[in-house]
Amino acid sequence: MDTEIPQTAIDYIHSLGRFSGKPGLHRIRALCAALGDPQDCLHFVHIAGTNGKGSTACMIASALRAAGLCVGLYTSPYLVQFYERIRVDGAMIPDADLTRLAERVAVACESLALPEGESIGEFEFTTALAFLYFVEQRCDIVVLETGLGGRCDATNVVRNTEVTVITPISRDHMAVLGDTIAEIAGEKAAIIKPASAVVCADGQPEEARIVIQHTCEARGAIWYSGTLDYRLLRCDLDGSAFVYEGQGYTIAMPGRHQLQNAVTTLRTVSALRERGWDIPVEAAVRGLARARMPGRLERLAEQPLVLLDGAHNAAGVEALCRAVDELLKMRRLHVVMGMVRDKEYEYCVREMARRADVFYACAPEADDRAVNEHTIAALAERDCAAVYDCHTAEQALGLALGNAAPKDCILVCGSLFLIGEAEKILRSRQKTAE
């Protein structure tokens, strides 16, 4: 593999494909073994769930950094740059390190004897590379987000899990994870390791909570209940302020669902303290206040207000709609939306169209997975009187920016592919205007 140019390494990783054989951990175990099992040198907070994983991971990592720890953060997918997926102390992996480690992992891949027709896939390759980088950077702890599910997710090769976090579970990826909430919960709860602490987020469906708690007991893990209640002081577009266990906190990410993620973070920090980690309350206060996650009601402009949100499944859109109803009810709303086919796009589009004054349908750049913009427009027309059928995100954003008054809001939502495109387009427009 030619790795002199960093982008070549990224192209190579993408070329490996999303799925590479029979579901299971045999490939990632073989790859990590060939690399000396770097994951066994690390300690983890391991996170699974359907919604809120990325925001919760970001908040936890920020709190641990504020405590003076060297913290690795592994998330997926990325919005703008591949490097976003692998961070140490908030900084993305540098080009040179990604390229060098990609070469090392590629060489290890060539040494493997895998079942016929199977190979190392993109997520497995990237996960192994991340472990190597975190070891090199001497991370004290790594906040590790699963990619898909849990049981057969490449991240489930880890052993030294301090705390397992399960964020709210809903129906998503049902072709892979199961048809019911209980089945999906079983797949995600499979990351629970013996003797680890388990934090189950508030707002969990009862059938999911039962499965998670049963798995915890069966594996000899420690169920950490912690305090769930908090007192809300403020919730607006600038974020929220609340009191938890007598201490005041602020978060910058808007929406009541982010309050739930913040409480999950504080319970995770408490569980880590009980396991001997020195994380002062003041560090949690600073960490939550500093935490930022792109694409979560992210504000990119003021007049008109432009927000990006990667709500792309039913539960995510429901949380977004609650935020819209509470925080944007006084503004005329322009919704720019595109979806991919393996999500509940009909429900998601109609819920957003009900709240839109003007709706702009487009197709994200998602290979052959994107829902045609004509289909999105036709769905939106059932619930919104003003619908524009656009082809690309560029066209939809240009039209919305031209139509919106200074006090209006443009909300870009749906596929994370679309959010990444919109971020690039809007930041490019801002630089041109400057």
Side-chain angles (χ1 to χ4, degrees):
M1 180 179 67
D2 177 9
T3 56
E4 291 183 6
I5 303 173
Q7 186 63 43
T8 304
I10 294 175
D11 287 342
Y12 174 81
I13 293 170
H14 287 326
S15 74
L16 299 174
R18 295 177 68 210
F19 302 105
S20 53
K22 182 180 178 181
L25 299 177
H26 55 288
R27 289 182 300 275
I28 186 65
R29 283 177 176 152
L31 178 56
C32 285
L35 294 167
D37 283 319
Q39 76 281 4
D40 290 346
C41 301
L42 299 163
H43 294 269
F44 297 93
V45 173
H46 201 180
I47 305 177
T50 306
N51 292 98
K53 296 195 303 292
S55 296
T56 303
C58 175
M59 291 180 183
I60 293 171
S62 186
L64 299 182
R65 284 175 56 203
L69 297 170
C70 180
V71 183
L73 176 61
Y74 184 63
T75 59
S76 62
Y78 64 92
L79 290 184
V80 179
Q81 301 180 72
F82 181 88
Y83 312 101
E84 297 169 21
R85 298 178 62 173
I86 304 170
R87 299 174 185 254
V88 172
D89 287 345
M92 293 184 284
I93 184 171
D95 293 343
D97 289 323
L98 178 72
T99 302
R100 174 178 53 81
L101 292 173
E103 178 68 34
R104 183 175 168 188
V105 177
V107 170
C109 289
E110 293 172 1
S111 71
L112 303 180
L114 297 176
E116 185 177 353
E118 295 195 13
S119 60
I120 297 297
E122 176 178 350
F123 190 73
E124 292 161 331
F125 189 103
T126 306
T127 301
L129 188 155
F131 291 150
L132 289 173
Y133 184 62
F134 295 144
V135 170
E136 285 188 353
Q137 297 299 304
R138 299 183 180 180
C139 290
D140 297 306
I141 193 165
V142 174
V143 181
L144 188 70
E145 180 189 346
T146 58
L148 175 61
R151 184 187 310 277
C152 297
D153 189 81
T155 63
N156 202 26
V157 74
V158 304
R159 299 178 185 179
N160 303 324
T161 301
E162 296 285 339
V163 182
T164 302
V165 180
I166 311 292
T167 65
I169 290 169
S170 62
R171 291 180 175 84
D172 200 7
H173 298 292
M174 290 181 289
V176 178
L177 301 180
D179 296 326
T180 68
I181 293 291
E183 287 176 327
I184 295 170
E187 288 296 311
K188 294 180 185 292
I191 70 169
I192 294 173
K193 300 296 186 293
S196 71
V198 176
V199 172
C200 181
D202 191 21
Q204 200 72 256
E206 181 64 13
E207 57 267 45
R209 190 195 62 77
I210 290 170
V211 170
I212 296 164
Q213 192 157 18
H214 175 75
T215 304
C216 177
E217 293 168 356
R219 298 196 173 186
I222 304 158
W223 183 267
Y224 185 82
S225 54
T227 304
L228 298 177
D229 294 334
Y230 62 88
R231 180 161 57 89
L232 180 64
L233 303 177
R234 170 180 61 83
C235 182
D236 54 35
L237 282 171
D238 293 319
S240 301
F242 65 101
V243 176
Y244 179 81
E245 294 189 331
Q247 174 64 53
Y249 296 90
T250 61
I251 55 175
M253 292 185 278
R256 289 182 183 263
H257 54 292
Q258 295 295 0
L259 286 163
Q260 179 175 283
N261 295 334
V263 170
T264 301
T265 294
L266 293 173
R267 292 172 62 210
T268 302
V269 167
S270 295
L272 284 167
R273 285 196 198 104
E274 290 199 1
R275 298 176 69 84
W277 292 83
D278 183 14
I279 311 167
V281 171
E282 295 77 13
V285 172
R286 292 194 307 274
L288 281 185
R290 294 171 182 170
R292 303 288 190 280
M293 190 69 179
R296 274 65 171 183
L297 279 176
E298 179 185 10
R299 190 185 312 201
L300 259 66
E302 294 294 340
Q303 293 187 333
L305 177 66
V306 179
L307 301 174
L308 306 184
D309 194 275
H312 58 276
N313 57 33
V317 165
E318 287 168 1
L320 175 58
C321 287
R322 288 193 293 271
V324 167
D325 293 344
E326 181 174 13
L327 304 178
L328 299 174
K329 57 187 175 183
M330 301 304 292
R331 293 177 184 261
R332 182 171 170 81
L333 185 63
H334 301 252
V335 173
V336 175
M337 192 169 189
M339 295 286 292
V340 293
R341 283 197 303 274
D342 55 356
K343 304 296 179 182
E344 297 170 289
Y345 65 86
E346 294 186 10
Y347 174 84
C348 294
V349 169
R350 294 199 64 183
E351 284 300 304
M352 294 311 304
R354 288 189 180 103
R355 289 160 173 84
D357 294 290
V358 189
F359 191 100
Y360 307 81
C362 61
E365 293 180 0
D367 302 321
D368 58 349
R369 297 170 61 197
V371 179
N372 185 284
E373 66 274 12
H374 308 311
T375 301
I376 298 292
L379 288 168
E381 285 170 350
R382 301 180 190 178
D383 299 282
C384 180
V387 176
Y388 289 90
D389 188 341
C390 308
H391 179 55
T392 65
E394 182 92 47
Q395 293 171 350
L397 285 167
L399 196 55
L401 288 166
N403 289 342
K407 292 187 178 181
D408 291 356
C409 176
I410 298 172
L411 173 61
V412 185
C413 60
S415 168
L416 287 170
F417 291 103
L418 174 63
I419 303 307
E421 287 178 65
E423 180 117 11
K424 290 179 186 176
I425 293 165
L426 292 166
R427 293 204 183 280
S428 176
R429 282 174 174 257
Q430 288 172 347
K431 287 182 181 178
T432 301
E434 292 170 359

